[in-house]
Amino acid sequence: MTVLNWALLAAAAAPILAATTVVLLLTLTALAVLPPVEPAERVTLLDVLERK
């Protein structure tokens, strides 16, 4: 491939790589900052009917 083709390929791939990097950074930041989520208590249909 010529230098021009490599430059065009790099120009096309740059936004995709940048967007992927931003998504990864935001995800890692959210996982580091947000508190861990406790699993919710399972509620069965019998539990709902017994409460009535």
Side-chain angles (χ1 to χ4, degrees), residues 13-49:
I16 297 170
L17 290 173
T20 305
T21 304
V22 168
V23 168
L24 284 174
L25 284 174
L26 288 175
T27 304
L28 291 174
T29 303
L31 289 175
V33 170
L34 295 176
V37 178
E38 299 279 334
E41 180 185 345
R42 300 243 171 157
V43 178
T44 64
L45 182 58
L46 289 175
D47 293 336
V48 174
L49 293 175

